[in-house]
Amino acid sequence: MQVLIVKTSSMGDVLHTLPALTDALQAIPDIRFDWVVEEGFSQIPTWHPAVDRVIPVAIRRWRKNWFGSDTRQQRCDFKRALQERHYDVVIDAQGLIKSAALITRVAKGNKHGPDCKSAREPFASWFYNVRHEIDKQQHAVERTRELFAKSLGYDKPGSYGDYAIAARFLSQPPVDAGQYLVFLHATTRDDKHWPEQNWRELIALTADSGLKIKLPWGAEHEHQRALRLAEGFPHVEVLPKLSLQQVADVLAGAKGVVSVDTGLSHLTAALDKPNITLFGPTDPGLIGGYGQNQHSLISPEKSMATIDADTAWQVAKGYSMKKLHIINLGKMGGVERLFLQYINDTTDGSNQVLCISGDIGEEIRRQLPAHQPVTFANRLINALPLRCPQFLRKFLLKWKIERANADVVIVWDLVPGLAAKPKRGKLVYYDHGCSWRYPKNQKTLRFFAMLDGVISASHASKRVMELRFNLPCPNHVVINRIKTPAGIDNTPKTLSQPIRIGTASRLVSLKGISVSLLMMQELLRRGHDVTLEVAGKGPDRAAFEALAARLQLGDRVTFSGYQDDVAGFFNRTHIYMSTPITEPFGLSCMESLYFGVPVIFPQVDGQPEAVKDGVCGIGLTPSVTIEQHRQLTDIEVDFPHEVYDPLTDSLVAPKLLSHIDCADAVEKLLERETYQTLSRNAQRYPAEHFNYAQFKVEFDDTLRSFIA
């Protein structure tokens, strides 16, 4: 499909169009775009992977001499270029009479645009073949996304919009990435300028931060202002005159940005860089920064002079937030997967890692970014495996934390032995399930009493923390999310013989693999042509293999080990089994949904937060005690703790799923219509509810709130 976009200006409006292209590319993989844009912004569309051709237009320049011979020739050349192709769809996202009359009207193709109630200039809609009502009470990005969805015939995604240009610039960051701030001091209107004295006060406040300041400029008067702002400050660099591409490269490497209301502020947002935008007479309203970590400082008096430098610096300090991560990297699990995603997304040098385990597991080592150094908490010399004596480790850990001099210390799902609360940095605990298992003893309570804050991976996690430990510090929920996996086969899932059932986890008893094995025996007894693939590794694999043999499952069950090719596993799976006795929030379930695989899961802990019963899976109430399960399988499920019942909002004795109930649920999914409905819902559900970009925003914002 070939589509023409008419969105000529301004810089912010052009940038705000990019997420709509990303939506369209995901919905229609073979779609390609040509784009008519003002010549000064012609670089921007080329950054998006869905754009084939940019057709520059110069209406701003032409109108100064509309009937001049050079202008007439350029207009003829533009018209010829515009009419070279006949487009399947022409989308006028500008909504102005000049764009509609001078460009859209002339283009070849079925013309779409906002209706008279939705367009910025109502008369523009006269030039469209198809007019769409667009809700004006939403951000400009969302309005454009809605226009594209209606024009091209797909449902607008519920997830946060993706500009899809950040990776282009972040893949090759400058050598000094993360070591500087950018101050965008130039704008078009005098009343949108921040007084130079305020800028210089802010620059002075940054002097002890260790960060440099970079000042870009466009016109000569902006260059002179930059020179005045930098005078007397050795940590400030006035940049040479740069192209838009070069400015984007500089912004991509910044720790953060402080800007006035200008087009480059929107470019900063598109690059997912933290940004504080200062607003005086203008109101961000529905046209402000759209992206991760975008903050507005708005003058109540509508005057830029009333925004003081101290306030701006207090917010900006959060961008130079130095983080120390304390984590066990010995084996791969859910919390390690989430940590690796987070650490791989950060290239600014703000993360330090303190590893509690003696070494790093091979699966984790392969995914650690090359730029990320790791300090071992218990080693006397980091490069040597010689470990500190046990009785000294709590003192060594405290010393290493303080030596890191971090603003915030994140302890990932473990309770370390600490001699005392570190004197430097806010201490934050990230709970991914350990709160269920830690004994309520002196060590645990002592550690929790040191905390400045808690981040819980689910509402269930927060409630367990509250019910078990009643912590006095703030506890914020940041729902688990994963990036959209690669290799998804978007072809609608259909059932075929044999029915392929899959489960993936560490092979330990509390994951309930034995429930799936009993279920297989029952399904085969009922005459169903089914197979089970068990992915993962762990200490109980031999016990599960022995059980499969005892149940005479033969080649109907495959133990495939750790899966590097996650896409291959889920693409060949029809139904996913999640059968743990406890699960704070199932990442593998979320992963399954991305591939359109419905999930059978227990209604316990945070599982109902990951999979919605009756929409993209089937939730079952656990009913088999640990002792009853042991009698059926000879598998001892090692979980002597209570679990969270979301229906009663209480802690209850743990139980496993009934294999009979699981077999009944599989049979329900074998009804073709039911399966197809849940499979379609599954593909949509994570995109609508579990946007990973939002996880990173919420996680970092929560850390900043603890610092503040």
Side-chain angles (χ1 to χ4, degrees):
M1 176 182 273
Q2 198 72 43
V3 178
L4 178 70
I5 304 169
V6 179
K7 188 71 166 182
T8 60
S9 62
S10 60
M11 184 187 298
D13 290 342
V14 173
L15 288 161
H16 283 164
T17 306
L18 295 174
L21 274 70
T22 308
D23 294 345
L25 187 60
Q26 291 176 343
I28 311 168
D30 66 342
I31 197 167
R32 304 303 297 170
F33 292 96
D34 290 358
W35 192 326
V36 179
V37 65
E38 273 285 341
E39 58 186 359
F41 310 125
S42 61
Q43 284 184 308
I44 296 173
T46 66
W47 299 338
H48 198 283
V51 175
D52 271 350
R53 186 173 65 137
V54 176
I55 307 173
V57 69
I59 293 174
R60 291 182 173 183
R61 178 166 54 81
W62 293 344
R63 65 189 179 191
K64 295 175 183 177
N65 187 22
W66 189 260
F67 297 105
S69 58
D70 289 345
T71 301
R72 286 201 308 270
Q73 183 59 53
Q74 291 172 21
R75 285 161 46 203
C76 288
D77 293 342
F78 166 74
K79 183 177 179 181
R80 190 178 302 110
L82 182 64
Q83 294 183 333
E84 280 181 7
R85 290 178 177 173
H86 188 285
Y87 297 96
D88 298 299
V89 176
V90 178
I91 302 176
D92 188 331
Q94 197 77 31
L96 299 178
I97 294 174
K98 68 176 182 181
S99 64
L102 299 178
I103 302 170
T104 306
R105 178 183 62 85
V106 180
K108 296 179 178 179
N110 197 26
K111 302 169 181 63
H112 292 247
D115 64 16
C116 62
K117 296 179 181 178
S118 310
R120 289 162 65 183
E121 295 179 355
F123 287 143
S125 64
W126 289 3
F127 296 94
Y128 310 142
N129 303 121
V130 185
R131 304 168 184 88
H132 302 285
E133 183 179 355
I134 307 297
D135 181 6
K136 299 175 76 172
Q137 298 306 308
Q138 53 184 336
H139 194 278
V141 170
E142 299 299 334
R143 294 199 299 271
T144 306
R145 294 176 76 194
E146 184 179 341
L147 174 62
F148 272 56
K150 288 182 174 180
S151 300
L152 298 172
Y154 59 85
D155 293 332
K156 176 189 159 188
S159 56
Y160 204 73
D162 181 5
Y163 292 91
I165 67 171
R168 177 189 180 99
F169 296 95
L170 297 175
S171 60
Q172 293 183 319
V175 293
D176 58 349
Q179 301 174 34
Y180 60 88
L181 301 172
V182 176
F183 289 175
L184 300 176
H185 56 93
T187 186
T188 52
R189 281 170 45 185
D190 288 343
D191 59 354
K192 295 199 296 183
H193 281 292
W194 204 30
E196 290 184 22
Q197 181 58 36
N198 295 46
W199 278 117
R200 285 183 58 82
E201 288 175 7
L202 178 60
I203 290 170
L205 290 169
T206 67
D208 296 329
S209 68
L211 295 169
K212 293 186 178 297
I213 306 298
K214 296 192 178 189
L215 301 177
W217 55 274
E220 181 56 31
H221 70 280
E222 296 168 356
H223 183 208
Q224 294 302 315
R225 183 193 304 115
L227 292 172
R228 292 193 299 271
L229 296 180
E231 187 176 357
F233 294 113
H235 67 299
V236 178
E237 177 188 1
V238 177
L239 299 173
K241 190 168 185 178
L242 303 174
S243 68
L244 192 57
Q245 172 87 27
Q246 291 169 322
V247 173
D249 287 330
V250 172
L251 291 171
K255 172 75 78 172
V257 178
V258 180
S259 69
V260 293
D261 182 13
T262 180
L264 290 179
S265 177
H266 297 293
L267 177 55
T268 305
L271 295 171
D272 292 334
K273 301 306 294 188
N275 181 28
I276 305 165
T277 306
L278 312 178
F279 290 95
T282 54
D283 188 338
L286 303 177
I287 57 169
Y290 182 101
Q292 301 182 41
N293 291 324
Q294 302 303 299
H295 299 269
S296 300
L297 283 183
I298 305 171
S299 167
E301 298 83 9
K302 301 295 183 181
S303 170
M304 293 290 285
T306 62
I307 302 174
D308 63 272
D310 283 328
T311 302
W313 178 234
Q314 289 305 312
V315 181
K317 276 200 299 186
Y319 299 150
S320 57
M321 176 173 59
K322 294 168 63 177
K323 294 159 285 185
L324 175 65
H325 303 269
I326 299 177
I327 189 167
N328 186 326
L329 297 177
K331 60 182 186 296
M332 182 70 83
V335 71
E336 290 77 27
R337 286 186 61 195
L338 206 66
F339 165 78
L340 286 167
Q341 279 190 151
Y342 181 86
I343 213 79
N344 272 289
D345 265 1
T346 309
T347 58
D348 61 5
S350 63
N351 293 305
Q352 303 174 74
V353 179
L354 197 55
C355 179
I356 292 294
S357 52
D359 211 339
I360 301 173
E362 184 55 36
E363 294 98 346
I364 295 175
R365 188 181 300 278
R366 289 200 300 266
Q367 297 185 39
L368 269 175
H371 66 266
Q372 182 59 64
V374 175
T375 301
F376 290 92
N378 298 327
R379 291 185 183 181
L380 294 169
I381 301 173
N382 203 58
L384 301 175
L386 181 64
R387 304 181 77 178
C388 173
Q390 184 74 39
F391 72 96
L392 290 176
R393 289 180 185 176
K394 61 182 180 181
F395 300 100
L396 181 63
L397 178 61
K398 179 175 178 291
W399 178 77
K400 288 191 175 184
I401 291 173
E402 291 175 347
R403 189 166 176 249
N405 197 28
D407 297 302
V408 61
V409 180
I410 307 111
V411 181
W412 290 79
D413 205 39
L414 57 89
V415 172
L418 270 172
K421 182 175 181 177
K423 296 177 182 177
R424 299 174 186 172
K426 299 293 185 180
L427 191 61
V428 177
Y429 169 66
Y430 178 80
D431 186 65
H432 200 270
C434 278
S435 60
W436 274 254
R437 301 190 297 273
Y438 279 123
K440 199 172 178 178
N441 58 18
Q442 185 178 358
K443 177 188 175 184
T444 304
L445 295 174
R446 192 164 175 269
F447 171 69
F448 285 160
M450 299 179 189
L451 296 175
D452 295 294
V454 173
I455 298 177
S456 292
S458 62
H459 294 282
S461 166
K462 179 177 181 177
R463 288 299 291 142
V464 170
M465 294 287 291
E466 291 171 344
L467 293 168
R468 291 199 68 203
F469 302 106
N470 192 28
L471 300 180
C473 63
N475 187 343
H476 296 285
V477 177
V478 179
I479 292 293
N480 261 359
R481 299 167 178 97
I482 58 171
K483 288 185 174 180
T484 304
I488 297 174
D489 182 357
N490 289 313
T491 306
K493 284 269 186 183
T494 56
L495 294 172
S496 59
Q497 300 297 320
I499 302 298
R500 296 183 298 276
I501 303 171
T503 188
S505 67
R506 282 199 81 236
L507 301 188
V508 292
S509 62
L510 63 84
K511 294 296 184 180
I513 307 297
S514 41
V515 174
S516 294
L517 296 173
L518 289 172
M519 176 199 70
M520 281 293 296
Q521 185 189 50
E522 176 65 18
L523 287 170
L524 292 170
R525 186 189 65 77
R526 296 182 188 183
H528 294 291
D529 185 10
V530 291
T531 63
L532 174 67
E533 180 178 357
V534 181
K537 66 179 190 178
D540 292 339
R541 173 169 175 166
F544 294 140
E545 288 179 328
L547 176 60
R550 192 160 66 251
L551 297 174
Q552 299 182 336
L553 298 177
D555 61 1
R556 293 287 180 164
V557 176
T558 304
F559 290 85
S560 55
Y562 180 80
Q563 296 291 299
D564 281 319
D565 181 16
V566 173
F569 171 80
F570 284 110
N571 282 330
R572 62 178 175 263
T573 299
H574 294 119
I575 299 169
Y576 187 76
M577 297 299 302
S578 176
T579 54
I581 196 168
T582 180
E583 187 66 76
F585 194 102
L587 288 177
S588 64
C589 295
M590 188 188 304
E591 205 161 30
S592 176
L593 298 179
Y594 272 109
F595 288 86
V597 181
V599 180
I600 297 171
F601 65 98
Q603 296 268 31
V604 68
D605 295 336
Q607 287 292 74
E609 298 175 48
V611 188
K612 191 165 181 66
D613 179 37
V615 174
C616 48
I618 297 177
L620 303 174
T621 302
S623 59
V624 179
T625 67
I626 290 174
E627 176 58 25
Q628 289 170 333
H629 186 75
R630 187 191 63 77
Q631 292 174 4
L632 288 168
T633 62
D634 287 336
I635 300 287
E636 189 70 52
V637 178
D638 183 20
F639 193 76
H641 314 286
E642 292 182 309
V643 297
Y644 176 69
D645 181 359
L647 298 177
T648 62
D649 187 33
S650 61
L651 297 176
V652 299
K655 291 182 178 180
L656 292 107
L657 291 180
S658 159
H659 66 283
I660 301 296
D661 291 346
C662 291
D664 291 343
V666 170
E667 287 189 328
K668 187 180 291 186
L669 285 174
L670 295 184
E671 298 171 7
R672 194 166 299 278
E673 188 173 336
T674 301
Y675 182 84
Q676 290 176 347
T677 299
L678 266 63
S679 178
R680 285 195 301 270
N681 292 344
Q683 284 185 310
R684 292 196 296 264
Y685 194 79
E688 294 171 354
H689 295 85
F690 304 128
N691 187 314
Y692 173 74
Q694 200 61 27
F695 167 82
K696 197 167 185 301
V697 171
E698 291 177 12
F699 190 86
D700 286 343
D701 284 351
T702 302
L703 293 179
R704 291 190 188 97
S705 74
F706 295 143
I707 294 173

